[in-house]
Amino acid sequence: MDPKNTSYTASDIQININDTIESTLAITVEFPSDGNPDHFHVNASEGSNLLFGKGHRSMKINVQLHITLPASPLSEFFFHGQIGSLDWQAPSPALSRFNIDLNLGSIVLCAPLACTDVFVNLNAGSIDARDLTARRAILKTDCGEVKGALKGYESAQMRTALGSVAMELSPAVGKTFTDVGSDCGSVNAQVHGFRGSYSSKVGLGMTSVSGVATSKTGFSIGSEHREGQVGTDGESIFSADAGLGKLKLVFDDQVVVSGGESGAKEAEANGKFERIITIN
């Protein structure tokens, strides 16, 4: 593989190994210091075949892809596939898009990540965004937990069908939209600096809402819903629901980030940045 290339595609990878060797394939990709890639796209689709030994015996293999990026800004990061996990380990310059779409896996953002648009979608697996700044963010999984800290956003959606949601949220100043919920699991949100209307709905479970200016509670068959105002003014909208589980919302006056654009600059750093992707 030519080290100057920033893209490499192979429909079949053929490797001969001994049975005594662990079924782990380690791939290291390092862009040259004078390179200037503006995007990186990993596709772990079922179309790629790993073949071993005489007769092309099939074998389950664990692939670890270590990526070292240069100091030049990376504008987009995509990771699409069937089964895999992403471990984001170092701060990065602000990205325009961060897009993850997996059938099965886990996403862990250990280091600060700043983006304009963030999309993470898993059919099964957990999402852990520990320090995320984004203007628009969608964090969704059908089976697994969603947790972390998100700030500076104008619109955000954090949902799971089966699992819990636990987020610390700091929306941008101005009109924002927030949607957080779980069909079956608890929802816990600490919200800083929100001003506007909120609504909550619980099918079967307890509801706790604090830090609101006005609130009223209603009941319908099989559910409890609340709505009210946070602060004396503001046009932002906050919606939360838990089909089966406890719902807890805590609003406070703390303003963490003044806006999405300024927040997106917080994770900028110099030097090289390492990522580790594991494709099972």
Side-chain angles (χ1 to χ4, degrees):
M1 178 177 174
D2 187 347
K4 294 183 179 181
N5 290 340
T6 60
S7 176
Y8 180 75
T9 303
S11 59
D12 296 284
I13 302 175
Q14 183 169 330
I15 304 172
N16 295 322
I17 63 172
N18 298 322
D19 292 336
T20 56
I21 300 178
E22 295 182 1
S23 55
T24 298
L25 173 64
I27 303 174
T28 300
V29 179
E30 182 169 355
F31 294 100
S33 59
D34 59 348
N36 188 29
D38 61 356
H39 71 280
F40 192 87
H41 191 166
V42 177
N43 189 348
S45 66
E46 290 182 325
S48 298
N49 301 315
L50 294 174
L51 308 174
F52 299 94
K54 296 180 179 180
H56 293 169
R57 176 170 56 89
S58 298
M59 184 176 181
K60 178 180 174 63
I61 191 169
N62 179 67
V63 180
Q64 289 186 337
L65 178 60
H66 299 259
I67 307 169
T68 301
L69 301 176
S72 57
L74 186 72
S75 64
E76 298 178 350
F77 185 91
F78 294 83
F79 182 30
H80 297 171
Q82 294 297 314
I83 304 175
S85 61
L86 171 66
D87 187 1
W88 193 268
Q89 294 188 349
S92 73
L95 307 179
S96 62
R97 286 195 293 173
F98 184 85
N99 190 297
I100 307 293
D101 194 352
L102 295 173
N103 187 41
L104 174 64
S106 62
I107 305 299
V108 180
L109 306 180
C110 300
L113 174 64
C115 298
T116 302
D117 291 283
V118 173
F119 176 81
V120 178
N121 180 60
L122 306 177
N123 287 341
S126 60
I127 302 172
D128 184 0
R130 301 177 186 179
D131 189 353
L132 177 61
T133 301
R135 183 179 300 174
R136 291 170 292 271
I138 296 177
L139 307 176
K140 295 175 61 179
T141 178
D142 290 338
C143 181
E145 67 175 347
V146 179
K147 64 180 181 179
L150 172 62
K151 56 188 176 181
Y153 66 88
E154 296 172 1
S155 65
Q157 183 181 62
M158 295 134 289
R159 301 199 65 88
T160 178
L162 179 61
S164 61
V165 178
M167 295 294 300
E168 182 179 2
L169 302 171
S170 305
V173 173
K175 187 175 182 179
T176 62
F177 173 78
T178 308
D179 176 47
V180 56
S182 172
D183 294 342
C184 184
S186 62
V187 174
N188 190 329
Q190 175 83 38
V191 189
H192 305 298
F194 175 82
R195 293 291 180 270
S197 61
Y198 87 93
S199 63
S200 66
K201 182 179 180 180
V202 171
L204 181 61
M206 300 176 59
T207 304
S208 173
V209 181
S210 61
V212 299
T214 62
S215 181
K216 63 179 181 179
T217 302
F219 296 91
S220 58
I221 298 176
S223 67
E224 173 191 344
H225 54 88
R226 299 186 185 187
E227 59 183 27
Q229 188 74 18
V230 180
T232 57
D233 56 5
E235 299 180 347
S236 295
I237 298 174
F238 191 101
S239 175
D241 63 88
L244 177 62
K246 182 178 180 180
L247 173 63
K248 181 179 181 181
L249 304 177
V250 178
F251 297 94
D252 62 39
D253 295 331
Q254 182 182 0
V255 178
V256 177
V257 173
S258 60
E261 291 185 358
S262 62
K265 297 179 181 179
E266 289 188 2
E268 291 190 3
N270 295 320
K272 293 187 176 181
F273 316 104
E274 294 186 357
R275 316 284 181 266
I276 293 181
I277 299 173
T278 303
I279 307 169
N280 297 313

